[in-house]
Amino acid sequence: MTVDALTDVSGVRVGHATLTGNGRLTGTTVVLAPEGGAVAAVDVRGGGPGTKETDALDPRNLVRKVEAIVLTGGSAYGLDAASGVMAWLEERGRGVRVGPGPSHVVPVVPAACIFDLGRGGDFRARPDAATGRAAVEDAAASAPGSPVREGCVGAGTGAAVGLLKGGVGTASTVLVSGITVAALVVANAAGSAVEPGTGALYGELFQGRVSVPEARVHEEARRRLAEAAARNAPVPLNTTLAVVATDADLSKAQAQKLAGTAHDGIARAVRPVHLLNDGDTVFALATGVHPLDSADPLALNDILAAGADTVTRAIVRAVRAAEPVPGATAAVTGEAAGTTAETEAGPGGVWLSYGELYGRG
C-alpha cells in the first residue's frame, strides 16, 4: 500500500520540527535514509543558493552515500540545523567510516535552506542544531511507509510562493518496472504557482486535470492578494527545495542526472524559476533495491521523467495544503518573555493561501 509520499520509497523516513509563536515562523525537515545510507547527488539551479556539503555529492568525489538530507528555514543561519542531525547520526555510528572503531565516523549531512527570515515577525528566529535534532528524531520515530505531513510544517512553515503561502508537499509513483520514484518539496518561490489570467495552478494545468476557478472567484482573489501585497514587505529572496528518491540502483552520476531533470518539475509548476533571488536546489537519493535493466541503455529515462512529474505534483500539493497566516508580529518582550532585551522585528506580513482564496479543490 502506498501513501503518495516520499516514504513510499522503502526505508526512507521524513521528520519535521516546526517553530511557531513568539515571532517564529520557520522550521526544519529531515529526510532520513535507510541505515547504511543511500546514493546521493544534487543539482543547484538557483542564483542565490544556501547549501552545505553539496560538493561532497559530486560524482567525481569520494562520498557515495549519505544518511540524511536536511531542508531548513532560516536562510544561511538555519544551516546550523544540520549540526544537530550530524550529532544524532554520530551517536549511532552512522556515517562515513574514518577509523577502526564503530564510533569513528563522520556523518556527511547535505543541507539546503530557504529564505523565511522575519516572516513570523522576529528576524532572529531561525532553526538551530536543536531544531535539526528534533526533526531527525521525528523521522526516526515514524513507522516505515508513514504518511508525510504537508503544508505549513517543518521547513515549509514560513514558506511563500509568490504572494501566496507555500509549504511542504510530497508525491510518488510506481513505474511499470516496479521501481518507485517519489519527491518531497519545500515550495518557497519568488515566482508564482498561479496562472494570472485564470487563477489555475500551473502544475495542475500541466497535469491536464484542473477545473479553472470561476471568473468572479478569481477577481476577488486578485483583489485580496493585491491588498495583502500592499501590507507585506517585499520578499527579497526565495528558494524551492526538493528531494527526489527512488528505490532503483543508481550510480552517483545517474542520481545527479535525476536531480537535474527533476528541476523541470519546478519549472512546470512555478514561473519564473531559477532566478538570481532563488536558491532552487534538488537532491536525489537512490536506495539501490531494484537494478536497472542492463540491456537497455535508456532504462533510466522512465525514472527521470517520473522524477520531474512527482516534483510538479508535490508543489501543487504544497500550495493546496498550505494554511493562511494572519498578520505577523514581533515576539513578546520584557517581563513576559523573561528578558529585558527587545526582539528585533522582521517584515512579517499577511500570507493568504490558495485554498482560502480558491477552495481546496
Side-chain angles (χ1 to χ4, degrees), residues 97 265 333:
R97 189 73 58 190
T333 59

Side-chain angles (χ1 to χ4, degrees), residues 309-332:
D309 288 348
T310 54
V311 166
T312 297
R313 287 206 298 120
I315 292 173
V316 168
R317 289 180 58 161
V319 174
R320 283 201 171 275
E323 297 290 340
V325 174
T329 57
V332 176

